Structures are given as structure tokens and as C-alpha cells.
Amino acid sequence: MLRTIGLQLHSAITGSYVSGTHSVVFVNCPNEQIAKDIARAVLDKKLAASVNILPQAASLYFWKGEIEEATEILLLIKTKTSKVFMLSSYVRLVHPFEIPEVFSLPMDQGDVQYLKWLEEGMEED
């Protein structure tokens, strides 16, 4: 948490982007309606600024000792790195899977105007 605060402070003072300030969170969903419901909810709660819904990802995975195959919908959720824990916790609460796939990758670089727009999209009213 101190690292996140330090990154935000550095970014605010210098006006430059600090690598890792934002993250992309990946979440697989069983169908499009659940994906849309989760996407809208995380946006409404200001846990993210943008969500892409990518249709029909073929998934193969081990589950209870067996290889399973499914068609899933992939969410790409753009958020502040400082919100990843809250976002992940919320997704686990509302997701129908027993163990939902939720992981994040920090953004290394990006367009400054886009990253500013992300920040503005998550500001509390």
C-alpha cells in the first residue's frame, strides 16, 4: 500500500506516469450476461474505469483432477493498481464460479491522456 501511495504522489508531483500505477485485471465468465453484469457493477462501484468484453474464449483447464473444456467470456478490466484487491474481492463475491479466474498485470507504459482518463473515470462523485 505504501508503494501505491508513493507512486501516486510521485505521479502527481512530477506530472509523469509511473509504471505500475494502473493494472489490467483478467476475469473469465461463463456467459455474456454474467460478464456484462460484472462489468457494469465494477464500473458503478468505481472499481474500474473501463471494461472490455471479449467473446468466446476457448478454455481448457484442470478441475478436480479432470481436464475440462468450456467456452468463456473474458473481461479485461482497467483499474488503478491500488484498487485491484477490492476489485478481486468483489468479483469473488458475485461470480458464479467456485474459484473464479481473477488476476492482474501492471501497466508498464501507456498514452498519458488515456491514463489520465482512467484516473478521472474512477474518481468518486
Side-chain angles (χ1 to χ4, degrees), residues 48-120:
S50 173
V51 181
N52 296 109
I53 301 173
L54 305 179
Q56 306 245 329
S59 297
L60 285 91
Y61 53 92
F62 277 107
W63 182 249
K64 299 185 179 182
E66 301 291 325
I67 296 176
E68 299 287 333
E69 187 172 342
T71 300
E72 297 175 320
I73 307 299
L74 177 61
L75 298 179
L76 299 179
I77 304 171
K78 278 74 78 185
T79 189
K80 294 179 187 178
T81 300
S82 62
K83 292 191 177 208
V84 168
F85 179 78
M86 288 187 303
L87 173 64
S88 297
S89 296
Y90 178 75
V91 168
R92 279 193 303 277
L93 284 174
V94 300
H95 203 287
F97 289 169
E98 185 178 334
I99 303 173
E101 178 180 42
V102 181
F103 67 92
S104 68
L105 297 173
M107 292 182 193
D108 182 37
Q109 296 294 318
D111 179 78
V112 175
Q113 290 177 335
Y114 175 76
L115 297 169
K116 185 177 185 299
W117 173 81
L118 282 181
E119 286 288 329
E120 292 168 355

Side-chain angles (χ1 to χ4, degrees), residues 28-48:
N28 273 355
C29 297
N31 61 53
E32 189 173 352
Q33 188 58 56
I34 289 171
K36 285 181 179 179
D37 290 346
I38 290 173
R40 285 186 188 283
V42 299
L43 291 170
D44 284 343
K45 293 182 176 305
K46 302 285 187 177
L47 294 172

